[in-house]
Amino acid sequence: MLEASDRRALAAGGGSYLAVVCASQAVQLVAGITTATPLLPTLLGACTVGGASAVALRAADAAGGRRRSLASTYACHSGGSADATAALAGAALHVCFGLGVRFWALSPSSLAAEGAFAWAAASLPAGEGYASTPQREALQRFGRLAGCHSCGTRFAAQYVGDHVPPLSVASRRPRLLSAVLGRPAFRFYPQCRACSAQQAATMNRRARDLPSTLASRAVYHLPSPLRATSYVGVAVVALALAAEADVGPARRALSIASGAADATRQKLLSARATCRIPADSE
Ligand SMILES: [Zn+2]
């Protein structure tokens, strides 16, 4: 059974971690960095997870009223380190890379590209027309399981099939580029009505050459309970507490997080298998 000081440490660590993740995304939104930006979102996402993990450890130490920091206890158990907080934050990053975490998904969702919640398994090959009835039925299921690909909501009344890349973006591609590369391969991703309306308004403004604000081109999203990146703060603190007490709740926390992600992936694959969609050539 966890002591009260351990529960305070876990709550403070998890809460401060999520606060840093939310703040990082807000800064990226203002700076115009979105999931469509090349490379930078992955780099910033990894820095965010590492930095937020370090903040989580400091917050856990303060909330738990410890004289000796959790990170230094962990460092002693794991062979010692000059900078124990950095060692633990680095370990968290290492585990995230091992789990195949998509760091770029910590950036705001671009409305002109795949959003932060875009799963390949929850998408369908698309033409340039609207989604057919069986495709719309499949997209409703994908939306309820994986969420709107832009904002992540799994509780929308209805999901529309969003073309990625958007048709309006593809049509503005230079003719020479299209002649060399051919037409882009479109896919349908589930998108909620609110994000779809924001996307339409942004594209209309662009078509009329009106300036659109940076925030209107991307969707801010809250940390998802289905994402391993949402639990790194708690997992890092639990790892340090486990090292201090010689028990293994950290391993359990990580297996629960990765188990939840696996279960969702399996549900998506079975939903895909049961819908009447022609086999994808991928
Ligand atoms: Zn949405």
Side-chain angles (χ1 to χ4, degrees):
M1 195 63 191
L2 288 173
E3 290 178 16
S5 64
D6 292 343
R7 285 198 294 273
R8 280 201 306 275
L10 283 167
S16 57
Y17 172 86
L18 291 176
V20 173
V21 167
C22 290
S24 167
Q25 195 194 154
V27 170
Q28 292 181 63
L29 188 68
V30 172
I33 297 163
T34 72
T35 51
T37 309
L39 293 176
L40 208 49
T42 296
L43 184 67
L44 288 175
C47 291
T48 297
V49 169
S53 301
V55 170
L57 281 168
R58 297 296 162 102
D61 284 337
R66 286 178 160 72
R67 282 197 207 123
R68 187 179 184 196
S69 78
L70 283 170
S72 64
T73 306
Y74 171 81
C76 288
H77 281 254
S78 62
S81 167
D83 188 338
T85 304
L88 253 184
L93 266 182
H94 192 78
V95 169
C96 286
F97 272 116
L99 288 173
V101 163
R102 307 190 306 175
F103 289 109
W104 60 267
L106 294 174
S107 293
S109 292
S110 166
L111 285 168
E114 289 180 343
F117 299 86
W119 291 39
S123 71
L124 296 171
E128 295 187 22
Y130 290 113
S132 65
T133 302
Q135 283 177 322
R136 283 202 298 273
E137 285 170 6
L139 287 162
Q140 299 308 310
R141 287 188 226 175
F142 290 164
R144 283 192 287 273
L145 286 168
C148 162
H149 83 99
S150 302
C151 72
T153 182
R154 293 187 295 127
F155 306 105
Q158 195 185 10
Y159 295 90
V160 298
D162 181 36
H163 278 96
V164 176
L167 295 173
S168 55
V169 171
S171 66
R172 285 203 294 272
R173 210 157 78 154
R175 279 187 193 168
L176 183 63
L177 199 62
S178 293
V180 174
L181 299 176
R183 296 290 289 168
F186 294 106
R187 292 193 77 83
F188 281 131
Y189 284 89
Q191 190 177 49
C192 74
R193 288 278 180 194
C195 292
S196 181
Q198 185 179 336
Q199 184 190 47
T202 304
M203 296 300 169
N204 283 340
R205 288 175 77 88
R206 280 197 199 169
R208 285 181 281 143
D209 284 334
L210 292 172
S212 57
T213 62
L214 286 170
S216 74
R217 293 179 209 161
V219 175
Y220 185 91
H221 48 87
L222 293 171
S224 164
L226 296 178
R227 289 275 176 79
T229 43
S230 302
Y231 303 101
V232 176
V234 164
V236 164
V237 173
L239 190 68
L241 286 173
E244 194 178 62
D246 273 337
V247 288
R251 196 175 297 166
R252 245 174 285 152
L254 275 177
S255 73
I256 288 168
S258 65
D262 275 351
T264 307
R265 199 173 297 128
Q266 285 305 321
K267 280 185 193 168
L268 283 171
L269 289 173
S270 60
R272 194 180 168 80
T274 53
C275 73
R276 302 183 301 279
I277 303 295
D280 190 354
S281 57
E282 271 181 27

